[in-house]
């Protein structure tokens, strides 16, 4: 937890990705940014190879003479996808979830001896691992394998029930451990990413969950087109088995506010199961890959059709999503007016430029300095000697379960408050209207885009003010920090 004084918090959404990143850090000693990009890129590449292996296995089983053609086409399609390239470069857990989902799909499709303890155990372990990669994979883990078991004549209802029972015990044990360690059965983001959690959260340009879903549909269109055109009736039961957890997972994701979700990153791991559906169609479709049928040419034509209309598809996605509103919150304005020492405007910094500038301050801050912020991921990973108070509640149990309470927040006496981004209008208004904040803090508007406040009663106030002034001068040449100091108008 970054909130050291509050004890451990279940803030990390993907414990498996944290373990992966920690292992790479320990082995390489690379800078944090390089390690994160390496981990996401490696996981994405391995996922592509796993899915290519899945298609190749189906092709070889059907004794196709050109069995490598479709796997190679799949690799090209995925590697040319801007979505995958962005996720591979993001440093986030998206591609690890994509990888674990891909492995689970391979395990299910390649199980030829269902009564083998090894086959049963491998699918079970794969399901547990993919749930650890991201908790929203739990519906895939819980529903897809037993549904496929029931559709396979070699599997019995008893084995499907045994799978559900063992998986439930394993996941239940994980819940018990989470409660014991963190006093929370699930990651805190499940609570704080509800649409109405942040009072006055106003971001009209932020895409809704529905828009991200449509973006994902556009990304996976080549595979969906193939399924629609090539599926035979005998493939429908297995396709339905894939569709059931997919619909339930997407309904869950749409109901949450998706922040930092570029290119539909929460939906993207489900692409593994859409490609699994393609494998189901290929496995049961005799005519498509028969040499005399021209099946491969027809598949290529499907891809060409999609690429020709991809711009139209994305335009349609944008238009449809503009009619869907996640919530209708209005911005909250502070009741207290503030006057600036000098009416001057600062240039707006790029997001990472602002974070790097803030890092110049924090690297010189005394140990155990308390920092309150919303955008603290990069800063918290770099400065372990500081105490971070998470204003969004992603790592704060009190905020996650009881909403933001400014009085309780200020009782933690943050020495430095890095103001939230502009959509958090309710939180900003509560801070600026707080009498305790007005009494104990020097507030500098616009600094690092959204403002900065220093606690006047902090034992490190002179030192903090000095390093803030130096960092400000390096970032905003030609401007004076005191010109942006504001006072409340009473």
């Amino acid at each position: 937890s970054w909130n050291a004084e509050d004890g451990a918090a279940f803030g990390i959404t993907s414990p498996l990705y944290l373990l992966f990143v920690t292992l790479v850090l320990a082995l390489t000693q690379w800078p944090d940014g390089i390690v994160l990009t390496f981990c996401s890129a490696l996981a994405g590449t391995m996922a592509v190879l796993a899915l290519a292996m899945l298609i190749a296995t189906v092709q070889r089983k059907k004794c196709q003479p050109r069995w490598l053609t479709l796997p190679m086409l799949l690799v090209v399609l995925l590697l040319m996808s801007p979505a995958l390239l962005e996720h591979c470069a993001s440093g986030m857990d998206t591609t690890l979830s994509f990888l674990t989902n891909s492995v689970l799909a391979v395990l299910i499709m390649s199980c030829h001896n269902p009564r083998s303890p090894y086959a049963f155990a491998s699918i079970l372990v794969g399901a547990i691992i993919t749930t650890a990669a991201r908790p929203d994979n739990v519906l895939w883990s819980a529903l897809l394998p037993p549904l496929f078991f029931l559709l396979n004549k070699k599997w019995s209802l008893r084995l499907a029930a045994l799978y559900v029972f063992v998986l439930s015990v394993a996941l239940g044990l994980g819940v018990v451990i989470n409660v014991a360690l963190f006093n929370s059965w699930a990651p805190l983001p499940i609570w704080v990413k509800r649409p109405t959690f942040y009072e006055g959260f106003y971001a009209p340009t932020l895409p809704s969950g529905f828009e991200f879903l449509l973006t994902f549909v556009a990304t996976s269109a080549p595979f969906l087109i193939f399924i629609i055109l090539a599926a035979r009736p005998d493939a429908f039961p297995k396709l339905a088995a894939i569709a059931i957890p997919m619909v339930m997972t997407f309904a869950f994701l749409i109901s949450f506010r998706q922040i930092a979700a570029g290119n539909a990153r929460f939906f993207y791991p489900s692409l593994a199961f859409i490609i699994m559906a393609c494998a189901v169609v290929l496995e049961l479709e005799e005519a498509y890959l028969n040499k005399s049928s021209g099946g491969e040419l027809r598949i290529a034509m499907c891809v060409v059709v999609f690429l020709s209309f991809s711009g139209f598809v994305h335009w349609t996605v944008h238009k449809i999503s503009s009619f869907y509103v996640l919530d209708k919150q209005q911005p909250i304005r502070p009741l207290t007016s503030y006057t600036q020492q000098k009416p001057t405007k600062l240039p707006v910094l790029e997001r990472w430029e602002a974070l790097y500038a803030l890092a110049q301050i924090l690297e010189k801050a005394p140990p155990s300095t308390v920092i309150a912020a919303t955008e603290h991921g990069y800063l918290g990973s770099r400065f372990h000697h500081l105490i971070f108070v998470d204003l969004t509640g992603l790592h704060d149990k009190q905020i996650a379960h009881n909403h933001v309470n400014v009085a309780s927040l200020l009782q933690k006496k943050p020495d430095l408050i890095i103001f939230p981004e502009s959509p958090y209008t309710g939180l900003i208004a509560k801070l600026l209207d707080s009498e305790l904040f007005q009494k104990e803090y020097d507030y500098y508007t616009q600094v690092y885009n959204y403002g900065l406040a220093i606690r006047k009663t902090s034992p490190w106030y002179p030192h903090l003010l000095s390093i803030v002034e130096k960092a400000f001068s390096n970032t905003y040449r030609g401007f004076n920090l005191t010109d942006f100091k504001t006072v409340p108008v009473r």
Side-chain angles (χ1 to χ4, degrees):
S1 169
W2 280 306
N3 298 332
E5 60 186 21
D6 295 335
F10 195 1
I12 190 72
T13 309
S14 176
L16 186 63
Y17 192 63
L18 175 62
L19 179 64
F20 182 29
V21 170
T22 303
L23 180 62
V24 174
L25 271 172
L27 293 175
T28 63
Q29 301 297 316
W30 292 340
D32 294 351
I34 293 178
V35 167
L36 289 171
T37 302
F38 171 80
C39 289
S40 60
L42 178 61
T45 303
M46 292 176 65
V48 172
L49 295 177
L51 293 171
M53 184 180 73
L54 171 61
I55 302 299
T57 301
V58 172
Q59 292 291 85
R60 291 196 69 179
K61 187 167 64 173
K62 293 171 66 64
C63 300
Q64 295 300 326
R66 297 190 298 275
W67 59 272
L68 275 176
T69 304
L70 286 184
M72 292 176 64
L73 177 61
L74 173 65
V75 170
V76 171
L77 271 177
L78 289 176
L79 294 181
M80 287 178 59
S81 166
L84 179 62
L85 296 178
E86 180 176 318
H87 295 317
C88 283
S90 70
M92 294 185 177
D93 56 26
T94 308
T95 52
L96 180 66
S97 180
F98 183 37
L99 170 61
T100 56
N101 283 354
S102 301
V103 171
L104 181 60
V106 171
L107 291 173
I108 295 173
M109 290 292 294
S110 60
C111 181
H112 303 300
N113 184 12
R115 293 189 179 275
S116 164
Y118 171 78
F120 182 85
S122 63
I123 293 174
L124 186 62
V125 171
I128 294 172
I129 290 175
T130 202
T131 303
R134 277 202 68 86
D136 37 85
N137 289 337
V138 67
L139 291 171
W140 288 113
S141 301
L143 297 178
L144 186 60
L147 287 173
F148 261 70
F149 296 167
L150 293 174
L151 292 173
N152 190 326
K153 295 179 181 179
K154 298 179 182 180
W155 287 87
S156 66
L157 178 61
R158 182 190 303 178
L159 283 175
L162 178 62
Y163 172 88
V164 173
F165 173 75
V166 176
L167 181 65
S168 299
V169 170
L171 297 181
L173 181 60
V175 169
V176 171
I177 294 173
N178 292 337
V179 172
L181 292 177
F182 309 113
N183 195 28
S184 177
W185 65 271
L188 298 181
I190 286 182
W191 283 275
V192 304
K193 289 191 176 182
R194 290 171 293 170
T196 57
F197 181 84
Y198 299 115
E199 184 182 2
F201 187 92
Y202 183 70
T205 60
L206 181 70
S208 67
F210 183 70
E211 183 169 355
F212 283 127
L213 171 59
L214 293 178
T215 299
F216 172 74
V217 170
T219 299
S220 55
F223 310 106
L224 295 174
I225 290 172
F226 170 71
I227 294 168
I228 293 170
L229 294 181
R232 291 163 53 92
D234 51 357
F236 291 170
K238 287 187 176 181
L239 294 179
I242 296 173
I244 289 171
M246 180 171 292
V247 170
M248 295 175 67
T249 299
F250 289 176
F252 171 79
L253 292 175
I254 286 175
S255 68
F256 281 79
R257 185 185 304 282
Q258 301 194 17
I259 301 173
N263 259 319
R265 83 175 187 92
F266 296 111
F267 293 93
Y268 193 84
S270 295
L271 180 62
F273 298 110
I274 291 181
I275 296 175
M276 177 185 176
C278 293
V280 168
V281 171
L282 285 171
E283 190 175 46
L284 298 175
E285 175 57 57
E286 295 292 341
Y288 249 80
L289 295 179
N290 188 290
K291 286 190 295 184
S292 62
S293 68
E296 292 172 351
L297 178 60
R298 293 163 65 185
I299 293 171
M301 289 177 62
C302 291
V303 176
V304 170
V305 168
F306 166 73
L307 294 176
S308 301
F309 291 93
S310 59
F312 173 76
V313 170
H314 284 86
W315 178 85
T316 304
V317 163
H318 178 74
K319 289 299 180 181
I320 294 175
S321 62
S322 65
F323 294 102
Y324 183 90
V325 180
L326 181 66
D327 59 78
K328 298 181 179 180
Q329 292 199 73
Q330 295 299 315
I332 297 175
R333 306 298 181 191
L335 301 177
T336 306
S337 299
Y338 282 73
T339 59
Q340 188 178 326
Q341 297 283 38
K342 186 178 179 181
T344 309
K345 288 285 186 182
L346 280 175
V348 177
L349 304 176
E350 294 291 336
R351 185 174 185 273
W352 280 105
E353 187 180 5
L355 287 174
Y356 290 147
L358 287 166
Q360 295 178 17
I361 298 172
L362 301 190
E363 67 185 0
K364 298 178 182 178
S368 300
T369 300
V370 180
I371 313 295
T374 56
E375 312 305 307
H376 54 65
Y378 166 73
L379 301 174
S381 70
R382 281 200 57 189
F383 305 108
H384 303 158
H385 63 290
L386 305 179
I387 298 174
F388 282 83
V389 175
D390 180 10
L391 296 176
T392 58
L394 290 170
H395 297 85
D396 190 300
K397 291 176 283 190
Q398 182 179 353
I399 292 177
H401 294 297
N402 302 292
H403 293 267
V404 178
N405 185 308
V406 170
S408 299
L409 169 67
L410 295 180
Q411 284 177 3
K412 297 181 179 181
K413 297 184 177 180
D415 302 294
L416 198 67
I417 299 177
I418 302 170
F419 263 64
E421 294 187 348
S422 55
Y424 296 94
T425 65
L427 175 56
I428 295 170
K430 288 178 180 179
L431 279 170
L432 296 180
D433 288 336
S434 167
E435 292 185 5
L436 184 59
F437 174 82
Q438 296 169 11
K439 177 183 177 182
E440 293 197 355
Y441 286 85
D442 285 338
Y443 172 49
Y444 298 90
T445 185
Q446 303 180 56
V447 175
Y448 305 116
N449 292 347
Y450 303 110
L452 195 71
I454 308 173
R455 184 163 65 94
K456 292 182 286 188
T457 55
S458 168
W460 299 295
Y461 175 78
H463 179 66
L464 288 174
L465 179 60
S466 174
I467 60 178
V468 168
E469 287 177 333
K470 290 179 182 177
F472 178 90
S473 299
N474 291 334
T475 305
Y476 301 101
R477 299 189 182 278
F479 293 92
N480 193 331
L481 178 65
T482 57
D483 292 341
F484 300 91
K485 184 176 179 179
T486 61
V487 294
V489 178
R490 302 188 184 279

